[in-house]
Amino acid sequence: MDLQECRKELDGIDRQLTELFERRMEICGQVAQTKIASGKAVYDGEREKQKLDAVEAMAHGEFNQTGVRELFSQIMTISRRYQYRLLAEHGRGVDLGFEKIPTLKMKDVRVVYQGVEGAYSHGAALQFFGEDANVYHVERFQDAMKEVSEGRADYAVLPIENSSAGAVVDMYDLLTGFNNYIVAETFLPVNHALLGLPDAELSDIRTVYSHPQALMQSSRFLNAQEGWRQVSCLNTAVAACKVIEDRDKSQAAVASEIAGKLYGLKVLKSSIQNNQGNTTRFVILANRPIYREGASRISLCFELPHQSGTLYNMLGNFIFNHVNMVMIESRPIPGRNWEYRFFVDIEGNLEDSAIANALKGISAEALNMRILGNY
Ligand SMILES: C=C(O[C@@H]1C=C(C(=O)O)C=C[C@H]1O)C(=O)O
């Protein structure tokens, strides 16, 4: 056979495959009807396993055996997608347990952040809730989560991701450890300023204090200054505090401008960080599953065993519902070697039927799916 003839033959086979696919889907529709009547779950893992073993046994040679396994795993994923859709049309959609609200309550609320006054988290809280917001701080991320879950604070503002350093991994573990929900996000540019005493000038400076990260992130500017000593501190706010307390004009701190304002320091030079676009994404957490009208991003997590194809199958729930995934992170599950918890962000609103379908699929097929928020 030449190429022309081969392709003609393939066209005929593909026509048959398509016809058979459509017939198969029709039967799957009938299966869905029985499930609507009986209340049985769409996903039947045992039946799928038997099916994959059976088709594999029918194929010849290792390559084809793996191939049909993969093919049928996909076909069954599509079959389930279709069934979830039919179930949703019959009012058997998922109750995701979230309440839609017109706007977030922003007035007379208590807001907690982690760290000290003048830290970037403080800046993020004021950026989102306004300069006059009723904010307070705690020492650790988990303390902030606890303040919210136990109702002492209405919201917590915590960093989740930095544009150059990546995910704040501790936060991911905490998101599953507490029943708090992400209700909003805010992006704070990480702008390090050089702060000195009110009567100091740039030419007076000999020693610079800051957190090692901030010193490193401002290395280009700092290293270009001849004879400046760089000294590490616990955090940027402690550095600012030291400068004001020592009353020495030759000392400066690298910290946020808000720290400067708080401690009464003068901005000797703003935006001294190497990377001008450096931004941190903060999430706002509340202790109730609420989402704003028009919310467009959903964060969720689920667990998967360390087996080939499990993640691929799970992500099929997004692909076949045309849901766009914008972030994925994995974290080991404590105490369960080689099993992972995945954190995924998708675009959409909990009211969209495609989203409900995808989430229903994942909740049936993965372990411990949790919607962390729609914001
Ligand atoms: C069609 C069914 O629903 C699902 C899809 C399957 C398939 O397409 O073969 C198999 C098992 C179920 O997970 C069924 O239960 O038979």
Side-chain angles (χ1 to χ4, degrees):
M1 273 199 285
D2 63 14
L3 177 63
Q4 279 282 319
E5 287 166 335
C6 287
R7 285 188 172 167
K8 215 165 149 214
E9 183 82 11
L10 286 176
D11 289 345
I13 292 171
D14 293 345
R15 183 170 308 114
Q16 287 181 50
L17 280 176
T18 307
E19 278 168 20
L20 285 173
F21 171 80
E22 289 196 306
R23 261 177 59 199
R24 191 183 198 282
M25 288 300 280
E26 221 177 287
I27 306 292
C28 290
Q30 290 177 29
V31 169
Q33 297 303 336
T34 71
K35 289 176 180 169
I36 289 165
S38 68
K40 191 176 177 311
V42 168
Y43 180 59
D44 184 339
E46 196 46 45
R47 162 81 179 161
E48 293 204 9
K49 192 181 167 305
Q50 285 165 3
K51 162 92 20 198
L52 293 178
D53 291 344
V55 291
E56 182 180 323
M58 280 185 244
H60 304 88
E62 202 189 314
F63 191 87
N64 283 353
Q65 283 169 348
T66 313
V68 289
R69 229 191 144 84
E70 223 167 81
L71 178 66
F72 273 85
S73 152
Q74 275 308 309
I75 289 177
M76 290 192 287
T77 305
I78 301 168
S79 149
R80 271 182 269 121
R81 284 318 67 76
Y82 180 51
Q83 295 182 54
Y84 290 132
R85 182 180 304 176
L86 294 177
L87 258 68
E89 281 169 13
H90 279 79
R92 278 219 20 227
V94 247
D95 177 12
L96 299 166
F98 273 68
E99 184 197 339
K100 186 169 76 174
I101 53 163
T103 49
L104 270 189
K105 183 172 188 264
M106 303 280 278
K107 272 208 154 65
D108 303 322
V109 290
R110 271 170 70 73
V111 180
V112 65
Y113 63 90
Q114 177 273 337
V116 290
E117 281 198 331
Y120 285 95
S121 294
H122 187 187
L126 296 187
Q127 173 174 281
F128 189 80
F129 288 99
E131 293 287 327
D132 303 323
N134 181 4
V135 298
Y136 68 103
H137 53 95
V138 289
E139 207 172 300
R140 300 170 304 171
F141 284 166
Q142 69 211 67
D143 300 332
M145 289 297 260
K146 211 164 161 199
E147 289 297 294
V148 171
S149 69
E150 293 178 1
R152 284 184 293 279
D154 298 289
Y155 302 106
V157 178
L158 292 165
I160 188 124
E161 190 180 356
N162 175 268
S163 59
S164 23
V168 181
V169 289
D170 291 352
M171 267 307 293
Y172 284 98
D173 294 337
L174 286 178
L175 282 171
T176 51
F178 288 85
N179 275 329
N180 292 333
Y181 299 87
I182 303 173
V183 295
E185 64 184 347
T186 187
F187 292 84
L188 187 83
V190 179
N191 266 330
H192 295 315
L194 185 76
L195 307 169
L197 287 173
D199 57 345
E201 297 301 331
L202 200 55
S203 54
D204 298 324
I205 303 309
R206 290 289 164 269
T207 312
V208 184
Y209 298 94
S210 195
H211 185 272
Q213 277 285 336
L215 292 173
M216 210 170 64
Q217 288 165 8
S218 312
S219 60
R220 222 172 289 150
F221 170 81
L222 295 175
N223 294 341
Q225 315 301 318
E226 223 163 294
W228 283 20
R229 212 159 57 92
Q230 296 173 30
V231 183
S232 295
C233 297
L234 198 60
N235 57 53
T236 53
V238 164
C241 213
K242 176 162 176 57
V243 172
I244 202 80
E245 277 171 5
D246 285 3
R247 298 249 135 245
D248 175 349
K249 261 192 351 184
S250 73
Q251 294 184 357
V254 176
S256 64
E257 291 201 18
I258 152 171
K261 225 188 269 172
L262 255 160
Y263 294 97
L265 293 171
K266 170 170 145 190
V267 175
L268 297 174
K269 178 119 183 125
S270 55
S271 295
I272 60 165
Q273 71 278 7
N274 302 345
N275 178 354
Q276 290 302 319
N278 195 3
T279 301
T280 301
R281 181 164 80 96
F282 288 81
V283 286
I284 320 298
L285 295 130
N287 69 1
R288 282 194 309 132
I290 48 176
Y291 67 103
R292 275 179 301 170
E293 219 171 278
S296 59
R297 185 176 177 126
I298 297 167
S299 293
L300 63 141
C301 67
F302 51 83
E303 296 169 12
L304 290 179
H306 193 47
Q307 276 164 15
S308 105
T310 48
L311 180 62
Y312 179 77
N313 280 334
M314 215 49 63
L315 298 185
N317 285 289
F318 299 133
I319 296 163
F320 291 106
N321 286 298
H322 305 287
V323 172
N324 193 26
M325 186 174 87
V326 288
M327 196 276 313
I328 183 162
E329 262 306 314
S330 68
R331 298 279 307 139
I333 303 173
R336 303 219 316 253
N337 278 3
W338 320 123
E339 289 190 37
Y340 292 87
R341 189 176 282 135
F342 288 87
F343 292 86
V344 168
D345 283 1
I346 53 176
E347 286 176 344
N349 186 281
L350 291 174
E351 274 185 322
D352 304 343
S353 61
I355 295 285
N357 259 340
L359 296 182
K360 175 148 185 155
I362 292 182
S363 69
E365 295 157 29
L367 293 172
N368 300 326
M369 186 197 85
R370 247 193 80 195
I371 299 168
L372 300 170
N374 185 193
Y375 47 98

